[in-house]
Amino acid sequence: QVQLVESGGGLVQAGGSLRLSCAASGLTFGSYAMGWYRQAPGKERELVAKISSGGSTVYATSVKGRFTISRDNAKNTLDLQMNNLKPEDTAIFYCAAAPSMIRRADYWGQGTQVTVSS
């Protein structure tokens, strides 16, 4: 079955950096658009960034210039480099796989907590 397993979350001070990773199995990784989403307490889940099978990227306005999404189709991994983190970035971050950039995600990971202290 399809598994998406996130890692790399943790506690960091404002201005710091974290790198999230998502290891995918059970799917043809290179054929899927991949994305990072987040959900803060009391808020709806929102898109952070997504990347097409060919490497095209889309970012939420709030993270542009601070976060970088990347993928390694040979290793079936998806990464999110997060720099200059802010307390408002505190959330559970989820990895997701979708058939294309405009389709809803078919598969989700279990999430990893990111906490940014002020």
Side-chain angles (χ1 to χ4, degrees):
Q1 75 274 23
V2 175
Q3 282 193 312
L4 301 176
V5 180
E6 301 96 336
S7 61
L11 173 64
V12 65
Q13 287 188 329
S17 298
L18 281 175
R19 188 175 184 90
L20 304 184
S21 292
C22 173
S25 60
L27 76 169
T28 307
F29 182 79
S31 298
Y32 280 81
M34 299 297 298
W36 287 99
Y37 294 76
R38 67 185 179 187
Q39 187 167 20
K43 295 188 177 181
E44 293 189 353
R45 186 165 55 193
E46 63 176 2
L47 173 71
V48 175
K50 54 184 176 180
I51 184 168
S52 72
S53 56
S56 298
T57 58
V58 171
Y59 292 92
T61 301
S62 60
V63 307
K64 271 184 186 176
R66 300 189 298 123
F67 292 10
T68 302
I69 189 171
S70 61
R71 65 189 297 163
D72 186 331
N73 289 340
K75 295 182 178 179
N76 288 4
T77 57
L78 175 74
D79 289 339
L80 184 69
Q81 177 65 44
M82 305 186 293
N83 298 328
N84 190 21
L85 282 159
K86 303 176 181 181
E88 52 264 41
D89 293 317
T90 294
I92 299 174
F93 282 69
Y94 299 91
C95 169
S100 74
M101 292 284 271
I102 60 172
R103 297 276 298 275
R104 295 174 66 176
D106 287 340
Y107 306 107
W108 293 87
Q110 82 289 349
T112 186
Q113 177 71 48
V114 171
T115 303
V116 185
S117 64
S118 56

